[in-house]
């Protein structure tokens, strides 16, 4: 038995509408929004009384998806440190291929995104950068060049 595909990556956010706007401006499309609660949700995540709202975002090619989740109950807890550096153990970052890295950075800065370093060029292949996006997640961008 083998993995068929990676279905999605979930990100817990405080402000679901702001996170949806951020990823929509990145170029993702809202696939759907729904409240999630009940016994199956409790059993799946191992918490009692789960009440969430989710938004499923998909990449334009239809292959990549992010599940943005706002917990109403139990309330979300802050990770420590609040904005962990890129070398923190655990989920590191989510990377997106973009057609114009400079224009994408401008769009995402309007949502509060901040560059962690600067735009760097890897050989004659890619321009790359890390941004801090909603809920402190690190979003990496890669623009193929040459």
């Amino acid at each position: 038995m083998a993995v068929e595909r990676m279905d999605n990556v979930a990100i817990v956010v405080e402000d679901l509408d702001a996170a949806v706007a951020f990823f929509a401006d990145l170029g993702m499309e809202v696939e759907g929004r729904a409240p999630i609660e009940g016994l199956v949700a409790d059993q799946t995540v191992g918490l009692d009384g789960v009440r969430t709202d989710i938004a499923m975002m998909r990449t334009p090619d239809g292959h990549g998806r992010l599940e943005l989740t706002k917990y109403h109950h139990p309330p979300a807890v802050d990770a420590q440190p609040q904005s962990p550096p890129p070398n923190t153990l655990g989920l590191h970052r989510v990377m997106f291929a973009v057609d114009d890295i400079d224009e994408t950075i401008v769009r995402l800065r309007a949502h509060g995104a901040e560059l962690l370093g600067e735009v760097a060029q890897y050989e004659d292949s890619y321009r790359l950068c890390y941004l801090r996006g909603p809920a402190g997640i690190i979003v990496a961008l890669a623009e193929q060049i040459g």
Side-chain angles (χ1 to χ4, degrees):
M1 177 97 9
V3 170
E4 294 180 17
R5 69 180 181 276
M6 186 176 99
D7 192 61
N8 69 67
V9 173
I11 302 171
V12 176
V13 299
E14 183 63 35
D15 186 336
L16 186 59
D17 291 331
V20 167
F22 177 91
F23 286 106
D25 241 4
L26 179 60
M28 297 187 81
E29 302 163 3
V30 177
E31 191 172 78
R33 289 180 79 142
I36 305 293
E37 61 184 286
L39 184 59
V40 172
D42 292 0
Q43 291 172 329
T44 300
V45 302
L47 297 170
D48 292 326
V50 170
R51 282 187 304 107
T52 66
D53 287 313
I54 67 165
M56 192 64 72
M57 307 288 295
R58 96 174 150 258
T59 56
D61 67 1
H63 295 290
R65 297 188 322 171
L66 289 178
E67 177 186 302
L68 304 173
T69 304
K70 163 68 176 167
Y71 273 83
H72 299 288
H73 187 271
V77 295
D78 286 328
Q80 296 299 324
Q82 195 79 5
S83 294
N87 63 338
T88 302
L89 294 174
L91 181 62
H92 179 66
R93 53 113 176 108
V94 178
M95 180 175 266
F96 296 94
V98 297
D99 60 357
D100 184 334
I101 200 167
D102 297 311
E103 189 267 335
T104 303
I105 292 167
V106 168
R107 283 196 331 265
L108 298 181
R109 277 187 169 150
H111 296 277
E114 298 178 16
L115 275 172
L116 294 183
E118 57 189 75
V119 177
Q121 185 166 322
Y122 175 73
E123 299 179 349
D124 292 329
S125 302
Y126 290 95
R127 295 181 69 219
L128 306 159
C129 72
Y130 279 13
L131 298 159
R132 185 148 331 257
I137 190 165
I138 296 173
V139 176
L141 304 176
E143 175 187 351
Q144 190 169 5
I145 56 176

